[in-house]
Amino acid sequence: MALRITGSGNLGSAPELRTVEVNGEDRKVASMRVFFDHSVPDGNGGFVDKGGCWLTVSVWDNRAEHVARVLRKGMRVRVEGTLLERPWEKDGEAMTSQEVNARSVTLELARLESVTLRPKASPGQSAAAEPEHTDPQSSFDDTGAGAF
């Protein structure tokens, strides 16, 4: 049975991008571990931690490549997708694991302090070739044209 899930949590690992064969076709998949926390309002403007759980999140195709390029361990993300149960066997004993097949993974910007994304250097290109910005506001674009 598959259930729809929407939740927020922190990445416990950077996404791992790999290519897998599905029905004779090569497809990209990014897998990552996310801790989905469960906090509830305490009535005084704060929150009380009620625990949470770790789930593996998988993202497919073009979105997998974007997720692997942008997300890093520790970032706060919002995940929307389908919760799947996967049966498996260990030492003859039936086991079940849960995984989220994500339709959408986005950064939780309310908790984001800063993000610095630099293009990967081409072979033979030195780090000195990257432009330096001394004033962070000088590169600010409020039109959204530079957004990822």
Side-chain angles (χ1 to χ4, degrees), residues 47-148:
F47 290 89
V48 175
D49 182 22
K50 294 288 186 177
C53 66
W54 285 99
L55 290 172
T56 299
V57 175
S58 296
V59 184
W60 291 85
D61 302 320
N62 288 340
R63 288 176 289 162
E65 293 174 355
H66 296 302
V67 162
R69 186 178 63 246
V70 174
L71 299 180
R72 303 289 178 261
K73 179 179 178 177
M75 287 183 164
R76 180 93 178 159
V77 294
R78 180 175 181 84
V79 177
E80 295 179 31
T82 306
L83 182 65
L84 304 171
E85 287 190 357
R86 304 236 185 252
W88 54 285
E89 221 175 272
K90 180 179 180 182
D91 299 328
E93 185 178 343
M95 309 288 274
T96 303
S97 64
Q98 295 179 330
E99 178 179 323
V100 177
N101 186 5
R103 286 186 314 276
S104 172
V105 177
T106 56
L107 284 172
E108 285 272 328
L109 297 178
R111 290 194 177 180
L112 191 65
E113 292 180 18
S114 69
V115 172
T116 303
L117 297 177
R118 295 190 176 110
K120 291 183 180 177
S122 300
Q125 180 182 9
S126 68
E130 293 182 19
E132 289 188 30
H133 294 284
T134 55
D135 178 12
Q137 292 299 318
S138 67
S139 62
F140 180 75
D141 179 6
D142 63 350
T143 64
F148 59 91

